[in-house]
Amino acid sequence: MIDHAHDLACVRDATERLLTAVAKLDNAALAQPSRLPGWTRGHVLAHLARNADALVNVLEGRPMYTSAETRDADIERDAPRPLDVQLADVRESADRFQRTGAAPADWARTVELRNGVTDSAARVPFRRWAEVELHHVDLGVGYELEDLPAEFTEREIDFLAKRFSGHPDVPASRVTDGTRAWSTGRDAAEPEVTVSGPPADLLGWLAGRREGPALEATGGALPKLPPL
C-alpha cells in the first residue's frame, strides 16, 4: 500500500534540502551548466517549479501540460530568472503541490500524466519526490546519489526496474545490490545478465545519471538503457 501522506512529507523535506542548497548560489552560478545536457541550473529550477504545477493539474483532473511545446517554452522562459525569483517560484509551486496533496481525495483513483501514461493518484507524491531528489543531484552543487535517502534509493530502483520491465530493447536482467534484487528488461524464464553494485550506482545507471563503471555485469555486457 502506498502511503501518499508519508511521501508528501518526504517531498517537503527534499524540497527544503534543495532550497537550502540553492540559496547558497548566486545569479552567475544559475547560468552555469547543470549535469543535464543543454540545461543550465536555471533550467533545472524552472522545470522543478513547472513540474509541481503540472502535478497539481494531474491531481485536479486537468492535462499535465497544455502541450510538449508549451512545457518546453515555459522552461526556456523561466530559466534566466535571478536567484531570488527562482527560489520563490520553486517554493510557492511546491507549496501549491502540498496544499493539493493535503486536500481530501480518492487516492485510489487513476490519473493521467504525460504521453498517455496513467498511474494511481497515490503514486503522484512519490513521482514528485523523484523529481526533486534527482534534479537536486543534477544541479551539481554537492548533493550526490550517495546522499539520497536510503528509502528513496531503494524505491526508485524498484520503480525504474519496473519501468524497463518487458522492454524489447533491454535484455532480461537481474539487478542486485547484494542484499536485494530486482528484475527488468525482456520477459524470460532466466535473466540473461546480472548487474550488481552499490545502490547509488544502480540508481544512477537506471536513471541515466551514470554509465555504470562501478557496476559488474555477468552473463553479458552492461545493458544500454533507453532514455527515460
Side-chain angles (χ1 to χ4, degrees), residues 185-204:
R186 293 188 291 265
D187 294 331
E190 296 291 337
E192 303 169 44
V193 182
T194 295
V195 179
S196 57
D201 290 289
L202 292 173
L203 174 56

Side-chain angles (χ1 to χ4, degrees), residues 22 25-48 74-82 86 135-141:
V22 172
L25 304 178
D26 56 24
N27 292 335
L30 290 192
Q32 293 174 353
S34 74
R35 292 175 175 174
L36 294 177
W39 272 15
T40 66
R41 291 185 177 118
H43 282 89
V44 175
L45 294 176
H47 165 64
L48 279 170
D74 286 349
I75 293 171
E76 289 296 332
R77 178 198 66 205
D78 294 343
R81 298 175 303 176
Q86 295 277 22
H135 286 317
H136 191 168
V137 174
D138 293 335
L139 287 171
V141 292

Side-chain angles (χ1 to χ4, degrees), residues 4-39:
H4 71 274
H6 167 79
D7 288 349
L8 282 167
C10 292
V11 172
R12 184 184 60 245
D13 293 345
T15 302
E16 287 302 320
R17 284 194 295 274
L18 182 143
L19 288 168
T20 298
V22 172
K24 299 174 184 177
L25 304 178
D26 56 24
N27 292 335
L30 290 192
Q32 293 174 353
S34 74
R35 292 175 175 174
L36 294 177
W39 272 15

Side-chain angles (χ1 to χ4, degrees), residues 22-226:
V22 172
K24 299 174 184 177
L25 304 178
D26 56 24
N27 292 335
L30 290 192
Q32 293 174 353
S34 74
R35 292 175 175 174
L36 294 177
W39 272 15
T40 66
R41 291 185 177 118
H43 282 89
V44 175
L45 294 176
H47 165 64
L48 279 170
R50 301 289 69 79
N51 172 263
D53 287 339
L55 291 178
V56 169
N57 288 338
V58 167
L59 290 176
E60 293 185 345
R62 296 185 295 274
M64 186 170 181
Y65 295 102
T66 305
S67 67
E69 294 77 16
T70 300
R71 170 190 177 273
D72 295 344
D74 286 349
I75 293 171
E76 289 296 332
R77 178 198 66 205
D78 294 343
R81 298 175 303 176
L83 177 63
D84 60 338
V85 177
Q86 295 277 22
L87 285 170
D89 192 17
V90 172
R91 183 175 293 282
E92 290 165 7
S93 59
D95 288 345
R96 288 191 291 272
F97 178 75
Q98 289 288 333
R99 288 196 300 271
T100 303
D106 173 15
W107 288 96
R109 72 191 187 281
T110 298
V111 296
E112 184 171 347
L113 294 105
R114 294 181 67 196
N115 303 320
V117 173
T118 59
D119 205 347
S120 68
R123 199 184 297 275
V124 171
F126 180 76
R127 286 178 174 270
R128 176 60 182 176
W129 190 10
E131 291 283 333
V132 176
E133 293 286 17
L134 292 178
H135 286 317
H136 191 168
V137 174
D138 293 335
L139 287 171
V141 292
Y143 190 70
E144 304 297 341
L145 293 170
E146 286 78 7
D147 299 316
L148 295 170
E151 178 198 347
F152 170 78
T153 296
E154 180 177 354
R155 289 176 61 187
E156 183 68 355
I157 290 172
D158 181 72
F159 177 83
L160 293 173
K162 289 176 179 175
R163 184 165 181 169
F164 291 119
S165 182
H167 197 294
D169 297 329
V170 179
S173 304
R174 178 177 183 268
V175 178
T176 179
D177 63 1
T179 59
R180 296 158 293 191
W182 301 265
S183 296
T184 195
R186 293 188 291 265
D187 294 331
E190 296 291 337
E192 303 169 44
V193 182
T194 295
V195 179
S196 57
D201 290 289
L202 292 173
L203 174 56
W205 168 63
L206 288 165
R209 266 65 179 183
R210 291 182 182 172
E211 294 183 0
L215 300 178
E216 179 181 356
T218 56
L222 182 69
K224 293 186 180 300
L225 301 176

